[in-house]
């Protein structure tokens, strides 16, 4: 079912608990959530909306990541981290200092919500970059020690950039979410292509908000996962309640060679804020998926998601069950 994925026998995992009804709960939370506390680094106010990938360590395949760490001055930045098991993390106290690939590249006012994906020979990082408002920053690393910053992929205002793990036709591809300079009361997912990861075009509309938990705006979460049934795309959706925004998430299937075409999209969410650490925090009522690990052999999937803009949690599921659920519940 998973195409082009890797074997990841040590994917963070916990079986579905006995009291979890598969007909009510497609994915289940890790019993030790949240896995990353808000104050793990010296100066962090909160660590959430963060990206994790398998990465070769001293003892075989381990894990590396780029973490959104807001500091106690409430400055938003991204820090590198390492883990042997994907659950217990060592995160650098200082933000990543990117080496500019062009001396004229402007400094970032802030960085947040990174996505990381391995393409061809390196790990690319795309994040929401402060440059006259939020836009999409892009960089890469080979080793999670030295990081290189490239040109911004998209002009302001834009957020939620997620690169595809392979070229579509001859071009690199991404989803993004054009926005405004504030908290954005709208937002659709847009697809774009680039021959060189610098110049972007062929912009195609993918999905719009469609009521209920996804009635205000939607945005891509983890980088798309290739399956025999299409690209599996987790995305967040926002509802505007009388108490403000509520962030939940679900998943859809997209055409493999024309990823702007939706094959199936259900109405229900998969995860919404209901645990205390999702309901209470710096921004209450937020479950925000940003990274997914998958094991090709077992079809296990582990999603890292930000909880209430404060801490990081894990949810587990099986790719075949999720894909079938999407197809059965298709609008
Ligand atoms: C969005 C982004 C996310 C955040 C969410 C909820 O606009 O800023 O980083 O998780 O709002 O506050």
């Amino acid at each position: 079912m998973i195409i082009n994925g890797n074997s990841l026998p040590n994917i963070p995992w916990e079986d579905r608990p006995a009291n979890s009804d598969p007909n009510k709960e497609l994915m289940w939370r890790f019993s030790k959530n949240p896995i990353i506390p808000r104050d793990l680094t010296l100066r962090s106010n909160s660590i959430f909306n963060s990206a994790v990938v398998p990465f070769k360590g001293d003892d075989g395949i381990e894990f590396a990541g780029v973490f959104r760490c807001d500091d106690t001055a409430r400055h938003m930045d991204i820090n590198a981290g390492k883990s042997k098991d994907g659950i217990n993390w060592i995160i650098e106290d200082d933000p990543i200092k990117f080496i500019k690939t062009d001396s004229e590249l402007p400094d970032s006012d802030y960085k947040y919500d990174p996505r990381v994906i391995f393409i061809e020979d390196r790990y690319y990082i795309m994040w929401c970059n402060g440059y006259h408002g939020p836009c999409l920053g892009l960089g890469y690393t080979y080793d999670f020690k030295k990081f290189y910053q490239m040109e911004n992929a998209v002009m302001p205002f834009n957020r939620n950039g997620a690169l595809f793990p392979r070229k579509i036709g001859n071009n690199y591809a991404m989803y993004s979410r054009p926005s405004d300079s504030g908290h954005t009361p709208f937002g659709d997912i847009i697809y774009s292509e680039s021959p060189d990861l610098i110049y972007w075009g062929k912009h195609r509309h993918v999905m719009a908000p469609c009521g209920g938990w996804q009635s205000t705006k939607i945005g891509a979460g983890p980088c798309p996962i290739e399956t025999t049934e299409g690209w599996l795309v987790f995305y967040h959706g926002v509802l505007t309640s009388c108490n403000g925004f509520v962030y939940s998430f679900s998943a859809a299937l997209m055409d493999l060679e024309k990823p702007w075409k939706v094959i199936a999209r259900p109405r229900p969410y998969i995860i919404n804020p209901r645990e205390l650490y999702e309901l209470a925090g710096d921004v209450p009522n937020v479950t925000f998926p940003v990274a997914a690990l998958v094991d090709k052999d077992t079809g296990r999937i582990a999603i890292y998601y930000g909880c209430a803009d404060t801490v990081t949690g894990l949810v587990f599921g099986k790719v075949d069950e999720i894909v079938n659920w999407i197809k059965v519940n298709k609008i």
Side-chain angles (χ1 to χ4, degrees):
M1 165 100 41
I2 296 169
I3 312 176
N4 289 330
N6 295 315
S7 298
L8 195 59
N10 56 337
I11 187 171
W13 186 254
E14 197 172 59
D15 284 333
R16 180 188 286 279
N19 63 357
S20 163
D21 177 352
N23 296 314
K24 281 178 80 177
E25 206 178 34
L26 181 65
M27 301 185 76
W28 56 98
R29 290 165 175 84
F30 187 36
S31 61
K32 299 195 179 66
N33 269 357
I35 57 162
I36 302 178
R38 62 186 304 164
D39 57 354
L40 187 66
T41 77
L42 210 52
R43 288 174 292 276
S44 57
N45 163 76
S46 42
I47 306 180
F48 59 108
N49 300 2
S50 299
V52 164
V53 287
F55 183 70
K56 200 171 175 331
D58 300 334
D59 305 321
I61 294 298
E62 298 177 358
F63 303 92
V66 175
F67 295 83
R68 171 172 175 175
C69 298
D70 293 8
D71 69 16
T72 47
R74 295 298 293 266
H75 176 71
M76 303 179 284
D77 218 323
I78 54 179
N79 299 23
K82 291 266 173 70
S83 172
K84 289 207 175 294
D85 58 7
I87 294 167
N88 296 288
W89 287 89
I90 297 171
I91 300 177
E92 301 282 334
D93 287 324
D94 293 316
I96 295 169
K97 289 187 182 64
F98 282 88
I99 300 160
K100 294 180 181 181
T101 52
D102 181 322
S103 56
E104 292 295 313
L105 265 176
D107 292 333
S108 307
D109 296 329
Y110 50 78
K111 301 188 181 80
Y112 67 79
D113 294 5
R115 273 76 166 175
V116 180
I117 187 82
F118 185 80
I119 313 177
E120 294 165 351
D121 64 347
R122 66 193 83 177
Y123 299 88
Y124 286 93
I125 302 121
M126 190 169 256
W127 66 89
C128 180
N129 194 37
Y131 175 64
H132 301 274
C135 67
L136 293 180
L138 182 59
Y140 61 87
T141 183
Y142 295 98
D143 54 10
F144 287 86
K145 289 182 188 137
K146 276 191 186 163
F147 291 83
Y148 299 87
Q149 187 161 355
M150 302 162 68
E151 294 291 340
N152 289 327
V154 175
M155 68 183 93
F157 306 114
N158 201 304
R159 294 180 171 97
N160 299 308
L163 290 168
F164 283 68
R166 66 161 172 89
K167 286 182 173 172
I168 305 296
N170 294 323
N171 293 324
Y172 298 95
M174 72 165 167
Y175 289 136
S176 77
R177 217 283 306 285
S179 64
D180 67 12
S181 60
H183 294 298
T184 316
F186 61 87
D188 296 13
I189 298 177
I190 304 289
Y191 169 87
S192 309
E193 290 188 4
S194 167
D196 53 9
L197 289 168
I198 297 174
Y199 299 99
W200 291 87
K202 198 172 168 180
H203 309 295
R204 300 273 161 87
H205 183 267
V206 181
M207 295 201 296
C210 74
W213 66 274
Q214 46 185 334
S215 53
T216 300
K217 52 180 171 174
I218 56 172
C223 296
I225 298 158
E226 193 166 8
T227 77
T228 49
E229 309 304 297
W231 291 102
L232 173 60
V233 175
F234 287 87
Y235 67 99
H236 67 260
V238 179
L239 167 153
T240 306
S241 83
C242 56
N243 272 327
F245 286 161
V246 178
Y247 282 72
S248 310
F249 66 88
S250 193
L253 285 172
M254 312 295 187
D255 187 274
L256 283 180
E257 298 314 319
K258 295 177 183 166
W260 56 90
K261 295 202 164 160
V262 182
I263 296 172
R265 175 190 188 184
R267 241 178 239 296
Y269 59 71
I270 297 175
I271 295 286
N272 82 315
R274 51 177 66 182
E275 298 296 329
L276 208 49
Y277 53 89
E278 301 163 344
L279 298 167
D282 288 349
V283 182
N285 308 321
V286 181
T287 51
F288 197 92
V290 168
L293 295 174
V294 288
D295 174 28
K296 186 182 182 174
D297 302 331
T298 57
R300 290 175 173 179
I301 180 164
I303 292 201
Y304 292 77
Y305 69 109
C307 309
D309 282 14
T310 307
V311 293
T312 303
L314 261 179
V315 292
F316 303 118
K318 299 293 277 301
V319 168
D320 55 347
E321 290 175 10
I322 296 166
V323 166
N324 289 339
W325 177 84
I326 294 172
K327 286 159 83 172
V328 168
N329 289 284
K330 177 178 179 217
I331 296 175

